[in-house]
Amino acid sequence: MAVKKRGLGAGLDNLIPDYSAERKEKKEEEQQNVSRETLISINDIEPNRAQPRSHFDEDALQELADSIKQYGIIEPLVVQKKGNRFEIIAGERRWRAARIAGMKEVPVVVKEYSENEIFTIALIENIQREDLNPIEEATAYQKLIKELNLKQDEVAEKVAKSRTAITNSMRLLKLEERVQQMLIDEMISEGHGRALLPISDLEEQFALAMRIFDEKLSVRETEKLVKKIVEEKKKGPKEKTPELKDDNIIYRGLEEKLKQSLGAKVEIKKKANNTGKIEIEYYSIEELERIVELMESVK
């Protein structure tokens, strides 16, 4: 019985659009010889070194392993010959789950692709299955642009997404590294990450991300808060005197120390004769209680 060919999805047919006649003839011959599904020892297969996905959810893998035990692997892996072994081009998640399920052999289709084609195919498969977290996806787009010398609209065409979607995704790489990790760990959403981008101070950006997580702020609430912070910075201090300007560095340094100690926005407003006041902002009763506890603990 003929084995039905399984496609990897939209975008793969135009990975390398301009093949010469000789290359096309060779590729057709290769497809006749190696496109048939076959069984290969699971120990002869190794992961794809260009795999854009770095995080595999253990619970999801166990669920897939349970399904494989019951129904087998419905869609074969796509692999490429590497010496005496085979490297996965598409299907690493199935391969990992098959190992958990204790399978000795797995169905594969052997193909021949360039390094660039392998990476692009792996990226497309993961995107279509929504297997990448936002940072992995953004990093993959960046790698396509740098290593394949593609433009954003060319990447968008390959992965069947809009150019705007590619641009918005890659902007997440401008976030502070700890904020990026919070996205990977699903502590905040991609929408939260985009809302934080206008905050240029990376420490402030991380502190705000932690506040989003602690207070369970929605994306809309985050956008409003960020807008308020940005507008306040544009306005500058509400009260300024010549004396404050002269001692600006000293007072800003004291403000920063208080900000780091209390984890809240602090503003020192200096008046004449070395007098003034300190303003501490809070955004919830829980945050107020936390600040008071911190101040009480100082002896």
Side-chain angles (χ1 to χ4, degrees), residues 20-235:
S20 65
E22 182 180 351
R23 178 85 184 272
K24 285 183 179 179
E25 184 179 345
K26 182 180 178 182
K27 204 163 186 70
E28 288 173 359
E29 183 180 346
E30 289 172 349
Q31 288 175 345
Q32 291 176 359
N33 294 330
V34 301
S35 292
R36 293 184 297 272
E37 183 177 323
T38 186
L39 289 173
I40 290 179
S41 169
I42 199 167
N43 295 323
D44 290 337
I45 300 173
E46 59 188 30
N48 178 0
R49 289 165 293 177
Q51 165 68 265
R53 185 181 184 192
S54 58
H55 174 73
F56 292 84
D57 183 271
E58 295 297 329
D59 292 336
L61 280 178
Q62 185 60 58
E63 289 178 6
L64 181 56
D66 294 340
S67 174
I68 288 174
K69 284 181 181 179
Q70 187 171 0
Y71 302 107
I73 296 179
I74 298 173
E75 183 178 358
L77 286 68
V78 179
V79 300
Q80 177 169 257
K81 197 82 167 66
K82 284 284 186 181
N84 296 324
R85 298 174 65 79
F86 296 87
E87 183 179 59
I88 298 170
I89 297 174
E92 183 172 338
R93 183 169 173 268
R94 277 164 278 158
W95 173 73
R96 288 174 180 267
R99 292 177 66 187
I100 295 172
M103 293 188 67
K104 304 298 182 184
E105 296 179 319
V106 291
V108 303
V109 172
V110 183
K111 294 280 189 178
E112 291 295 330
Y113 291 109
S114 69
E115 291 295 325
N116 289 339
E117 288 175 299
I118 291 172
F119 178 77
T120 309
I121 291 168
L123 170 62
I124 291 171
E125 183 198 36
N126 280 301
I127 288 175
Q128 288 176 341
R129 295 176 184 274
E130 298 183 349
D131 280 345
L132 299 178
N133 65 56
I135 300 303
E136 286 174 335
E137 185 173 341
T139 302
Y141 293 147
Q142 185 182 67
K143 187 173 181 180
L144 279 176
I145 289 171
K146 287 185 176 180
E147 297 192 7
L148 275 66
N149 295 317
L150 298 177
K151 297 179 180 178
Q152 286 192 10
D153 54 352
E154 292 174 320
V155 173
E157 183 179 355
K158 288 186 181 296
V159 300
K161 290 200 173 190
S162 69
R163 187 182 185 282
T164 301
I166 302 300
T167 302
N168 286 336
S169 174
M170 291 181 62
R171 288 176 66 220
L172 296 174
L173 298 178
K174 296 179 180 179
L175 291 169
E176 201 269 348
E177 289 186 4
R178 289 170 294 178
V179 179
Q180 290 187 34
Q181 189 60 49
M182 291 176 71
L183 270 170
I184 294 171
D185 296 336
E186 299 183 349
M187 295 172 67
I188 60 174
S189 71
E190 185 175 349
H192 287 121
R194 285 198 296 269
L196 287 170
L197 285 167
I199 306 297
S200 57
D201 184 313
L202 298 183
E203 286 297 327
E204 185 177 7
Q205 189 184 94
F206 174 64
L208 189 53
M210 288 300 298
R211 180 177 168 189
I212 291 168
F213 176 72
D214 291 337
E215 299 181 18
K216 297 180 174 55
L217 298 181
S218 68
V219 173
R220 182 60 178 160
E221 288 171 332
T222 302
E223 290 172 342
K224 287 182 178 180
L225 181 56
V226 169
K227 183 179 179 182
K228 180 181 177 183
I229 292 171
V230 171
E231 287 178 348
E232 286 179 350
K233 286 187 176 181
K234 287 180 179 179
K235 292 177 182 178

